[in-house]
Amino acid sequence: MGKPMGFCEIARRENPWRPEEERMGDFRALHTALPPEARREQAARCMNCGVPFCQSDFGCPLHNRIPEWNDLLYRGEIREAFERLIHTASFPEFTGRVCPALCEKACMLAETDGAVTTRDDELYLIEEGFRRGWMQPRIPRERTGRSVAVVGSGPAGLAAADLLNRMGHGVTVFETAGRPGGLLMYGIPNMKLPKEIVERRIRLMEAEGVRFCPNVRADAETIAPYDAAVLCAGARKPRPLDAEGLPAGGVHFAVDYLSRATQAVLAGGRPEAEFDARGKHVVVVGGGDTGNDCVGTCLRQGCASVVELELLPAPPETRPADTPWPQWPRTLRTDYGQIECAARYGADPRRFETTVQAVLRDGGGNVKAVRVAKVARGANGRFQPVEGTQDTLPCEMLLIAAGFLGCDEENQNAFGLALTPRGAAQTIAGTHRIAQNLFAAGDVRTGQSLVVRAIADGRAAAGEVDAYLCAAR
C-alpha cells in the first residue's frame, strides 16, 4: 500500500468530460485525460484491502490484480504496473472506456461514493503501454499445428482468439461485417469507443498471427476443416415492440441504427436518410446503455427533439438498504446522452414507467407520432397501461432499444443449435462445449451481458478448447 492515508487525503477525481456543446458537435472521444501526476494521486487512494472485492466475482470478471497495479502506478513503476495489468486483462483499452466499472462498485470506498478510479487508471496504463512502445506483438515461440475457427469478432471472439493464438494454435476469425470488431466496431458509438482503438488492436493481433476473414457468414461447412471452433456470434435477435400500427417506416431497432450511424462516421459522411435523425423528432424505447447511445447519436446528427421511454420505475439515487455492498446497486444513473440532452433542451429525456401503445402513420406508411401511456404492474406481474395517462408525441424516427432475445435464427440454423429458454446456445452443463469440437462463448452462450463478461467468457472458452486440443493429440 503506497500511501496509507491516501484515501483520506485525496478526493476522487475522474477523467474530465469535454464540454457538452463541444462534444455534441462531433463523434470524438467524450473525455480528456488527467495529467500523469494526478493519475498517480488517484492510484494512491487504493487501500490494498485485506480482501479486495474489486478483483472478486462481485467486482472484476477478469480478476485483474487491481490493488497491485494501483500500488505500482502510485510508486511510478509504470512499466511494472502495465505488465501486471495485461497479465489478466485482454483488452484494457476497451474495458477502460466502456466497462460500467463493476470493480468500482465493489470498492470498499464506494459506500461513501468515493471509489478508486480503477477504470481510468486501467485506461491510463494501457495507453501508456501503447504510447511508450511496450505493447508489442506477443508471438508464440512454438506452434502446435492445431487450427481453431472463431465465429464472430466481438469482445468474446477477440478474447478467445487472442488467448488461443498465444497458446500456439493457428486461429482464424470469421466476421460477417466488413470490418472485424463486432459489437466493439459497430454496436458502440465512436465517442464511447473510437474505432481507431479497435483497429489498432486488430492490427496487433494480425501481427501476432491471428487471421481475420471479414464479409464471411460462417456455417457448419466453413468450420469443418478446423480442429475446433468457438461460436462467438453474440445475442443479436432484438426484442420487438408490442404496439399497434407496426410495421411502419422510420421504425428501427437500435442495433441497426447505431451500426449505420457508425458506418457513416467511418466513411466520413452522413448515413442514408432513413437512418439520419437530422431535423426529426425522435423517440427511443429503452432506458439502458443502448438507449442512451441512441440519444447521444441522435443529438450529434442534429435531431429536432428526443424522448427516451423506460418501462421500469426510476431507481433510487443512492444505494438501497436491501442491496448490500459489494453487490452492484441499482441506482439512478444519468449518462452522457441524458446529460447532453439536458444541456441542449433543458431536461432529461427520460420518461419512466412509460411505454408506446400505438404508432401513428402518415399517408406514406411512415411514423408521424406515437401514443404513449404510463404503466403499472398488474396482479399477474405484467405491466398494464394506466387509464387516463395517454399522451401523443411527435415522432419521425422510433428507435427500439429494448434488449435482445438471444441467438438469431441465421446462426441457430447455420450451426444446428439447441437454445435455452433465454435464447442462448445450449452447452453441456458447466462447460462451453456444444458438441465434440464446437464451443461457444460470450452473449451467444450467456445471453445479453457486458463487454467485460464477454471477454472473460471468451478467455474461459479458450482454456477449454486448449485442453480439448491437447487431449486430442
Side-chain angles (χ1 to χ4, degrees):
M1 184 174 181
K3 192 172 178 61
M5 297 301 291
F7 66 96
C8 292
E9 300 168 8
I10 302 166
R12 176 182 167 93
R13 186 180 172 195
E14 300 176 5
N15 281 339
W17 293 88
R18 292 171 56 209
E20 287 90 350
E21 285 300 331
E22 175 189 309
R23 68 181 192 247
M24 279 190 285
D26 57 51
F27 283 86
R28 294 188 292 112
L30 296 167
H31 297 91
T32 58
L34 287 176
E37 273 307 308
R39 178 54 53 217
R40 287 180 59 191
E41 278 193 345
Q42 289 303 301
R45 299 184 67 248
C46 183
M47 299 189 295
N48 194 12
C49 307
V51 180
F53 284 100
C54 59
Q55 62 189 38
S56 72
D57 288 335
F58 288 112
C60 180
L62 296 170
H63 301 293
N64 286 335
R65 299 172 180 177
I66 294 166
E68 295 180 27
W69 48 254
N70 266 325
D71 179 55
L72 291 165
L73 173 55
Y74 164 68
R75 295 177 185 278
E77 299 175 30
I78 310 301
R79 178 65 182 264
E80 291 77 7
F82 160 77
E83 295 287 354
R84 198 66 55 89
L85 170 65
I86 64 171
H87 183 71
T88 54
S90 294
F91 312 119
E93 69 272 33
F94 302 157
T95 52
R97 288 178 167 90
V98 304
C99 183
L102 309 177
C103 52
E104 295 185 14
K105 302 304 182 290
C107 175
M108 190 171 289
L109 295 176
E111 289 197 288
T112 58
D113 198 30
V116 175
T117 55
T118 300
R119 182 176 60 186
D120 288 349
D121 294 350
E122 172 184 352
L123 181 58
Y124 170 77
L125 289 174
I126 189 62
E127 290 302 327
E128 281 294 288
F130 276 107
R131 187 181 70 82
R132 299 193 190 194
W134 301 334
M135 198 65 190
Q136 293 295 318
R138 292 179 283 182
I139 301 172
R141 293 180 181 178
E142 296 181 4
R143 289 290 181 179
T144 64
R146 312 292 279 178
S147 62
V148 182
V150 176
V151 180
S153 62
L158 291 182
D162 175 61
L163 197 51
L164 285 164
N165 179 68
R166 284 197 276 138
M167 291 169 172
H169 307 301
V171 180
T172 301
V173 181
F174 296 100
E175 171 57 52
T176 58
R179 302 189 189 204
L183 168 78
L184 302 166
M185 178 60 71
Y186 294 109
I188 300 174
N190 196 73
M191 54 276 193
K192 283 178 69 173
L193 180 58
K195 302 314 160 194
E196 62 267 23
I197 300 298
V198 182
E199 291 172 337
R200 180 180 66 183
R201 176 59 73 164
I202 299 297
R203 291 193 300 269
L204 179 63
M205 292 179 67
E206 287 176 330
E208 293 172 333
V210 178
R211 178 172 172 247
F212 288 93
C213 297
N215 293 309
V216 176
R217 180 165 287 283
D219 55 19
E221 184 177 346
T222 309
I223 65 174
Y226 294 84
D227 296 313
V230 190
L231 183 60
C232 305
R236 299 175 57 86
K237 184 177 181 180
R239 179 177 284 108
L241 181 64
D242 183 16
E244 298 175 18
L246 292 175
V251 179
H252 307 290
F253 287 114
V255 65
D256 298 326
Y257 169 69
L258 292 174
S259 176
R260 298 299 183 92
T262 297
Q263 290 174 25
V265 171
L266 291 170
R270 299 192 69 88
E272 56 266 47
E274 185 182 3
F275 293 93
D276 193 345
R278 179 164 52 182
K280 297 176 182 177
H281 297 287
V282 181
V283 174
V284 178
V285 180
D289 288 340
T290 304
N292 174 70
D293 288 341
C294 289
V295 171
T297 302
C298 289
L299 291 169
R300 283 159 178 76
Q301 289 181 343
C303 63
S305 69
V306 58
V307 175
E308 186 179 9
L309 306 179
E310 170 55 61
L311 190 66
L312 297 173
E317 295 190 3
T318 58
R319 181 188 292 266
D322 61 351
T323 306
W325 173 87
Q327 294 181 25
W328 174 268
R330 187 173 182 273
T331 56
L332 182 65
R333 291 194 305 147
T334 303
D335 213 332
Y336 74 97
Q338 289 115 21
I339 293 170
E340 292 167 356
C341 192
R344 177 164 292 179
Y345 300 120
D348 189 309
R350 289 173 291 187
R351 294 192 183 187
F352 292 95
E353 297 179 274
T354 304
T355 192
V356 174
Q357 280 190 305
V359 173
L360 309 180
R361 297 173 292 186
D362 61 18
N366 299 309
V367 58
K368 66 175 182 179
V370 292
R371 186 168 68 245
V372 302
K374 298 287 284 184
V375 295
R377 284 192 187 273
N380 60 0
R382 295 177 177 273
F383 286 101
Q384 305 291 338
V386 178
E387 287 300 323
T389 64
Q390 285 78 10
D391 190 12
T392 300
L393 304 176
C395 175
E396 289 103 20
M397 178 183 280
L398 177 62
L399 302 176
I400 305 170
F404 296 86
L405 296 175
C407 177
D408 61 65
E409 279 112 6
E410 285 181 306
N411 281 306
Q412 181 184 359
N413 296 331
F415 296 97
L417 302 176
L419 302 183
T420 68
R422 197 180 178 192
Q426 182 73 59
T427 57
I428 298 172
T431 75
H432 292 73
R433 190 194 297 266
I434 295 174
Q436 177 66 20
N437 66 341
L438 179 61
F439 300 77
D443 289 0
V444 74
R445 187 185 82 91
T446 64
Q448 182 184 4
S449 190
L450 303 174
V451 166
V452 68
R453 296 198 187 281
I455 293 172
D457 207 54
R459 289 174 63 94
E464 289 187 27
V465 173
D466 179 64
Y468 163 75
L469 292 175
C470 291
R473 284 180 185 175

